[in-house]
Amino acid sequence: MIAENLVGFENLPQTIPHYCFESFRRHNKRDALAFKIDDVWNYLNGVEVVERVKRIAMGLAALGVKAGDRVAIISENRPEWSFVDLAILSLRAVNVPIYTTQAVEQIRYILENSGAKMLFVSGSKLWKHAENAIQSVERLEKLIFFDADSKPEGHNRAISLADVEAEGDSYRKIDADIVETSLAAINSKDLATIIYTSGTTGEPKGVMLTHENFVSNIVAVSKGLPIRATDRSLAVLPLSHIFERTVFYVLCSNGVSIHYCSAFDQIASHLQEVKPTIMTAVPRLFEQVYHKIVKKGKAAGGWKTSLFEWALVVGQDYWAAKDNHRPVSPVLAAKHALANRLVFSKWREGVGGHLRFFVSGG
């Protein structure tokens, strides 16, 4: 049985772009993707996202990207990451994501080992970090910058994402069907990405994943979790991380509104503004949040600390019973209801007040 939000998807080609494009079109939500510039949240509807992705794909095709070519991305979380990812995959090319925190020598190794033809860079900060490694990779035909003003002057390989889109608009007059033809030719067995490990035990190792690998996860997770098209998510983990990238495809396919968080120091404010119902992170982040709550509760002093510590014990006892499928006594249930009203409700407000569930990876 397929998940409710994916009814009809089984008749689609089992590839990432087909699942995402169908969902963007089907739901066409006003806030399909959301991102913040300065103090203002900006929103893109589903149709706009598909059009933008196809324009970028058209531009990449005009620049010579073909099936099987490797195209790398090094960027913080932002909608351009997803646009470019889907554009690469729409051309049957292969996305090679690079962590923004990757050591310079490892960046050079990944670009050379993967045989990357082009590299997308978000802006000047990452360019300064990785410039020496990138400059030495002669195979790279183009360096494409998300931020046009970050493009280094006089660099003969450097262009902006806006330049790519302009190429796409021009190329449309020559071959308007090239992206649709490519989409129709994608096979579920086609290679979608090469993800390199951190390299803590030697050089990074490239893991090769197909469209089928991702789609099987989309379907399985959609069946297993109560994901709704009315949900809002906050993308915190880097999209270069396989967990967050898979989550993006799952949420996208289910019509969830996705809000990008580009830096960890923005999480607290974004939680209050977005009020997400779904959020994914790694255990370490949840541990940090928990320890901050406990530290604040214990520092309150007097009866407030006593109430906090009592509620903590009640919560642990209550959920230990739930997790182990034991009956909750009426007394424990009453204590938990009181602790929930006096203490835990404040915790939920601290993370936006609307989270239905966290998903932890790693």
Side-chain angles (χ1 to χ4, degrees), residues 194-254:
I194 304 175
I195 296 179
Y196 282 81
T197 62
S198 61
T200 52
T201 55
E203 296 291 4
K205 312 297 190 298
V207 179
M208 305 173 77
L209 298 173
T210 65
H211 285 264
E212 184 177 50
N213 294 143
F214 284 106
V215 170
S216 64
N217 280 319
I218 292 171
V219 174
V221 175
S222 299
K223 288 180 182 177
L225 292 177
I227 303 172
R228 305 167 184 163
T230 54
D231 279 321
R232 297 181 304 280
S233 74
L234 184 62
V236 173
L237 292 179
L239 284 160
S240 49
H241 192 296
I242 182 57
F243 177 62
E244 186 66 25
R245 185 153 159 222
T246 302
V247 165
F248 174 86
Y249 297 147
V250 169
L251 299 182
C252 174
S253 297
N254 282 275

Side-chain angles (χ1 to χ4, degrees), residues 18-30:
H18 285 97
Y19 267 59
C20 290
F21 290 167
E22 173 62 21
S23 182
F24 281 133
R25 291 192 190 100
R26 179 182 294 188
H27 298 283
N28 194 25
K29 298 177 72 172
R30 179 188 70 85

